[in-house]
Each structure stands twice: as structure tokens, then as C-alpha cells.
Amino acid sequence: MVTRFASTRIVLKQGDITREKVDAIVNAANSHMRGGGGVDGAIHRAGGPAILEDCKRVVPDGTSLAPGKVVMTTAGQLPARVVIHTVGPVWAGGSQGEDETLALCYINCLHLAASAGLKTLAFPAISTGVYGYPFDLACSLALHVIREFCRVHPAVIEEVRLIYFNQADHQAAKTHLSALNSE
Ligand code: AR6
């Protein structure tokens, strides 16, 4: 499914984000930034050891990346040019600021990409796997935040791809986007 938020092209698709040929793919990392499971594991496996080496440089041993924050590394052997790593919130019922933190993940990724002159960006559904954020809440929030960024900063990012690993998530996301477009 393809639409536009202001002048930015929005593409929803099912797939493996490691295969996306964009300026930046986003990783749903953890605070240690030493790899993990889910999309994080897939990115490190497909990109090779150069990504971990760069993670150690940007988040040295003894430090950590707080939820909502972002850092950029090489994409190693991936088709993307760089990886933007962010740490999503762990779902704890919704009263622990999870929505603000998840919104920050998206906003900070978009701002970092914009400031680096990156034009095309692909996101996974941050926090909706191991971190347990209910998919529909996370998906709707992500779409609202991205739309607002594109409205306030037109012509900065050319294309945002939202990559869903499974078909059910992709279908649900299309329903959310249709609802948003008819608001
Ligand atoms: N491409 C696109 N999406 C994917 C892929 C892929 N290759 N693999 C999984 N997903 P998760 P989180 C989807 O668990 O919830 C890691 O261990 C998946 O279906 O990867 O933010 C980190 O190191 C789900 O919809 O990230 C952290 O410790 C979405 O990506 C922790 O998990 C996010 O699921 C982060 O948990």
C-alpha cells in the first residue's frame, strides 16, 4: 500500500527489513547495543560484524542507549547505507510512558535521518515483538507520529517504508492507514 503524508511517500509492505535498499533502515535494538533477537539479530546477521564493531564505538562498554534515543552505524554488508538504532519501550501496561517513548523513537529517527541528509528510510514495528507493545496501539501511534513529522517538515524525507514481518501485521497496518487517511 502506498500513500503520501504531505510530500513524503509512505509505503507499507510485508518483508524482511534487511533486504530493503534505502538510505537507512531502523533497528529495534536494546540499550546494550550488542545485538539480540528479532529484527536486531536479523540485522546483525545479515550486515556482518562491522555493525557490532560500530555499535561498540558509538555505545562503548559501560554505557547504554536510553529508550527513545537513537544512534547511527554502518550497515556493513546490507543494501542500506546506514542503520539507525533505537531502543523502544518495554510494554508495562501502558501507564509507564510507553507511548511517549515509542513516539520519541520514531521522531528521533526521522530527525537524525533528516540531519544526515538521508532521504529514504525503512522502519520495523518497533517494540511489538519481544518488548510486547500491543501491535495496533504501536502501529497507530507510529503512523500518527510519522504523518505529523511529514506535515511539519515537508520535502525533507522522500520515502518512509514501514516493513511488517508477518502478513497479519501488514493487513492490520493497512487498515490503520486507511482509517487515518479518512480522518
Ligand atoms: N524484518 C522486519 N521486521 C522484523 C524482522 C525482520 N527481519 N524480524 C522481526 N521483525 P523485535 P522489540 C519484527 O522483537 O519488540 C531484540 O532481541 C517482529 O515481527 O525484533 O522492539 C532486541 O535486541 C516485530 O513486529 O523488537 C531487543 O532486546 C518487530 O520486528 C528486543 O528484541 C519488533 O520485534 C527489542 O524488542
Side-chain angles (χ1 to χ4, degrees):
M1 183 174 184
V2 179
T3 190
R4 281 191 178 275
F5 289 161
S7 55
T8 303
R9 193 176 142 90
I10 306 296
V11 179
L12 267 54
K13 63 187 274 198
Q14 186 187 349
D16 175 355
I17 201 167
T18 65
R19 305 173 77 99
E20 294 298 316
K21 192 170 187 314
V22 281
D23 290 340
I25 62 168
V26 172
N27 182 20
N30 60 56
S31 292
H32 305 300
M33 285 281 293
R34 296 294 181 267
V39 70
D40 193 9
I43 287 171
H44 279 271
R45 275 195 304 278
I51 298 180
L52 180 59
E53 282 307 304
D54 220 14
C55 285
K56 290 178 178 169
R57 178 184 62 82
V58 296
V59 181
D61 286 343
T63 68
S64 62
L65 187 67
K69 300 281 187 192
V70 296
V71 289
M72 191 184 294
T73 68
T74 177
Q77 297 160 2
L78 294 174
R81 285 171 54 196
V82 299
V83 178
I84 296 176
H85 305 258
T86 188
V87 180
V90 176
W91 180 256
S95 60
Q96 305 298 310
E98 292 95 327
D99 49 357
E100 288 92 343
T101 304
L102 187 61
L104 273 180
C105 291
Y106 284 93
I107 292 166
N108 287 334
C109 285
L110 289 160
H111 277 295
L112 182 57
S115 66
L118 304 170
K119 297 291 184 192
T120 56
L121 194 53
F123 284 98
I126 300 164
S127 280
T128 68
V130 173
Y131 282 0
Y133 207 117
F135 180 82
D136 289 303
L137 293 179
C139 179
S140 174
L141 183 145
L143 290 170
H144 276 92
V145 167
I146 293 166
R147 184 175 69 165
E148 183 61 9
F149 179 91
C150 296
R151 192 183 65 74
V152 176
H153 307 281
V156 172
I157 305 289
E158 285 172 8
E159 183 172 311
V160 173
R161 296 183 198 167
L162 298 166
I163 311 298
Y164 301 102
F165 200 48
N166 64 62
Q167 196 181 4
D169 288 351
H170 182 218
Q171 285 302 331
K174 287 193 283 188
T175 303
H176 282 292
L177 182 56
S178 298
L180 188 64
N181 279 340
S182 58
E183 261 177 17

